[in-house]
Amino acid sequence: MLFEVQNVATRFSAPISFSLDAGEVLTVFGASGSGKSQMLRALADLSPHEGAVFLEGINQATLRPEQWRRKVGYVPAESGWWADLVGAHFHTRPPADWLAALSLPPELLDAPVERLSSGERQRLAVLRALTIEPRVLLLDEPTANLDDLNAQALTALVLNYVQSHQAAAVWVSHNRDERSRLGARSIEMPSGSTPLPAQGTPA
Amino acid sequence: MNLEQLSLFDLSLAALLVAALGLVQLLMGLGLLRSLAIGSVRMTVQLLLVGLVLKTLFETANLGWVSLMALIMLALAGYEVTARQKRPIKGWQGYGIGLLSMGVTAAAITLFALIIIIAPNPWYTPQYAIPLLGMILGNTMTGIGLALNHLTQTAWSARIKIEARLLLGQTAQQATAELRMEALRAGLIPTLNMLAAAGLISLPGMMTGQILAGAAPMDAVRYQILIMFLITAANGFGALLAVHLGTRRLFDERARLRLDRLTTR
């Protein structure tokens, strides 16, 4: 067992449990507001939560948070860019074949972040997470801003990574076609009694 | 040499200027008359009260009373630090961070100046201790308030950027390196401006006061230079401590950005 999630619940998401073997992808769907993103935040230990998460038998709470997040890589729906140039956000330069697979010209890494389109941001955010070589990838609607061709390319790249690294991925997708294309096990986010988020930024 | 005494009549003449301003405002239909009147009366009452307190304090020159006065000044300044922030840290920690960083630095620097540099006899002579502490607190209050305000406001608006860095395996310290620098800078800008403007654009208040009271200009200047150094040091160290404590409070033990610990206004 690579990744095990036991009764993980946050203020904004109901308890959920599942486990993933190496090389496995799990898609998660559910009504908007059911807390899918909040669940992913908890798995990356970015939000306070209940329950337990294990990676290769190691409890989340026993690893240093920055170590955990390098092994359990989360790509949120909205990616954050803090430096001026794209390349400054990369730990190591992504391999040329990854860039090519996603139709991203290598010069893009030297471009200012401002000039990126939303689709480029989304693809680069996934690449950025992959260069750290996580054991588990948490993806929040990674193809939302992509056209069909790019969406399929991204899907293929992620599936390829999961296979070749014997990693695993949790993929939030509300697109039924995408879920069937991934051909993976699929679970519905439990709705439960989720309180309405308070005003402002959820914790 | 002695200060020319101001009679009640002299003060009334000056007050008449403000009354004239109020009249003009009224004729022009600007609604500031009320604020002007309230502000003027409030200022007069506050200063008269402080005068009374200082008069008694100077007569007794007792360490206990001087300390009590210092503590009251500190508590009020701590409140002001929180009040000036748009999204202060919630609860007693918010007040505590401002109070602690200001208290520790202001107290240490005031004591250093009193005991080692100026060395009046006794060292807590209120004529020296109270104005010195007042000037240091007044300035550090602004600096620490600005630094904390910048820290919390920017953290709030840059959540996605900070969390993106945490997600790529950075520690809370790494993910806030620039933010902490900018917050420090924001806290120190008024002090840097003060240093640059001293003597050229503005004649500092204390120096002016001493000269008015009959001190030789060069003596007054020396005191002013001393105060400037003390204020700068207190402000810088205070802001450093406040930004450090504030950042710690922004994250929990799992290096999660906890914006829920900030007040929403």
Side-chain angles (χ1 to χ4, degrees):
Chain A
M1 191 94 66
L2 177 64
F3 194 55
E4 195 171 357
V5 175
Q6 292 175 354
N7 292 312
V8 166
T10 70
R11 266 178 73 200
F12 309 104
S13 67
I16 190 168
S17 301
F18 58 83
S19 57
L20 291 173
D21 282 322
E24 198 181 356
V25 175
L26 174 76
T27 57
V28 179
F29 63 100
S32 72
S34 57
K36 301 185 289 293
S37 305
Q38 295 302 321
M39 183 264 291
L40 292 185
R41 285 176 64 89
L43 300 188
D45 210 1
L46 207 55
S47 294
H49 56 86
E50 282 157 29
V53 191
F54 298 90
L55 177 72
E56 289 166 330
I58 300 168
N59 191 335
Q60 184 186 60
T62 62
L63 266 191
R64 294 173 62 84
E66 64 272 13
Q67 284 177 323
W68 177 266
R69 290 177 194 135
R70 268 181 232 139
K71 290 171 192 274
V72 180
Y74 166 42
V75 184
E78 189 182 343
S79 56
W81 304 86
W82 61 91
D84 291 343
L85 296 180
V86 175
H89 299 85
F90 281 80
H91 173 66
T92 46
R93 241 180 136 76
D97 57 324
W98 285 7
L99 286 166
L102 296 183
S103 340
L104 294 166
E107 308 87 77
L108 215 53
L109 291 174
D110 305 311
V113 170
E114 274 172 46
R115 215 184 296 152
L116 297 178
S117 71
S118 56
E120 284 168 338
R121 276 173 197 240
Q122 200 153 24
R123 281 172 282 162
L124 285 165
V126 174
L127 278 193
R128 186 170 71 173
L130 284 180
T131 54
I132 300 174
E133 307 205 325
R135 301 293 298 128
V136 177
L137 202 55
L138 311 171
L139 301 166
D140 196 351
E141 309 220 15
T143 59
N145 289 314
L146 304 182
D147 57 42
D148 284 351
L149 213 66
N150 277 318
Q152 281 168 31
L154 185 89
T155 310
L157 182 75
V158 170
L159 291 180
N160 188 4
Y161 174 88
V162 168
Q163 275 312 312
S164 61
H165 287 72
Q166 281 301 291
V170 180
W171 188 308
V172 166
S173 169
H174 59 203
N175 182 331
R176 185 174 307 185
D177 292 343
E178 181 172 79
R179 290 202 301 275
S180 63
R181 205 161 47 230
L182 280 160
R185 188 156 62 95
S186 199
I187 56 168
E188 182 171 6
M189 187 70 201
S191 50
S193 56
T194 49
L196 280 176
Q199 288 250 306
T201 317
Chain B
M1 228 193 302
N2 223 326
L3 200 58
E4 298 287 345
Q5 289 276 332
L6 288 177
S7 67
L8 210 59
F9 178 69
D10 297 332
L11 293 181
S12 313
L13 281 181
L16 215 57
L17 289 175
V18 180
L21 174 67
L23 193 66
V24 173
Q25 300 255 11
L26 192 68
L27 291 176
M28 290 176 67
L30 299 168
L32 287 171
L33 186 65
R34 240 177 83 89
S35 322
L36 261 182
I38 293 176
S40 301
V41 172
R42 199 182 137 163
M43 176 275 292
T44 311
V45 173
Q46 281 177 1
L47 288 180
L48 286 176
L49 278 177
V50 167
L52 270 179
V53 170
L54 289 180
K55 184 172 177 279
T56 346
L57 202 62
F58 289 3
E59 280 162 5
T60 53
N62 167 301
L63 180 58
W65 288 114
V66 173
S67 309
L68 181 68
M69 178 79 184
L71 284 177
I72 292 173
M73 288 163 71
L74 185 62
L76 288 174
Y79 172 77
E80 282 295 317
V81 167
T82 322
R84 281 161 194 220
Q85 291 176 60
K86 229 176 150 191
R87 297 188 190 285
I89 290 166
K90 270 184 202 167
W92 63 267
Q93 288 97 340
Y95 182 73
I97 286 171
L99 190 69
L100 185 72
S101 25
M102 202 165 46
V104 168
T105 45
I109 286 178
T110 308
L111 287 178
F112 174 71
L114 279 177
I115 297 174
I116 296 175
I117 303 180
I118 309 178
N121 186 26
W123 63 268
Y124 53 84
T125 303
Q127 281 90 330
Y128 288 90
I130 298 298
L132 203 60
L133 182 67
M135 280 183 286
I136 290 174
L137 277 183
N139 282 277
T140 41
M141 177 179 90
T142 311
I144 290 175
L146 285 171
L148 282 176
N149 189 48
H150 188 98
L151 182 76
T152 50
Q153 284 250 74
T154 314
W156 181 278
S157 56
R159 176 180 69 88
I160 294 195
K161 292 180 185 181
I162 296 170
E163 288 190 341
R165 300 175 75 158
L166 296 176
L167 286 173
L168 292 170
Q170 293 193 4
T171 61
Q173 291 291 309
Q174 290 167 331
T176 54
E178 291 84 0
L179 170 62
R180 286 179 290 123
M181 284 288 262
E182 284 162 21
L184 270 182
R185 192 169 302 144
L188 271 179
I189 280 178
T191 309
L192 295 175
N193 288 342
M194 174 193 81
L195 291 179
L200 296 178
I201 300 158
S202 69
L203 279 183
M206 189 196 69
M207 190 179 103
T208 319
Q210 282 186 310
I211 293 176
L212 275 178
M218 280 317 279
D219 288 342
V221 161
R222 284 184 187 196
Y223 261 93
Q224 190 62 52
I225 292 173
L226 170 71
I227 291 293
M228 291 283 184
F229 283 144
L230 298 180
I231 285 174
T232 307
N235 207 339
F237 285 120
L240 261 171
L241 191 56
V243 167
H244 173 75
L245 295 174
T247 308
R248 278 185 53 166
R249 185 66 194 155
L250 277 177
F251 293 87
D252 63 16
E253 72 290 349
R254 296 298 297 168
R256 306 173 185 127
L257 180 62
R258 296 295 299 270
L259 292 179
D260 55 321
R261 291 179 177 172
L262 300 182
T263 316
T264 34
R265 283 189 180 164

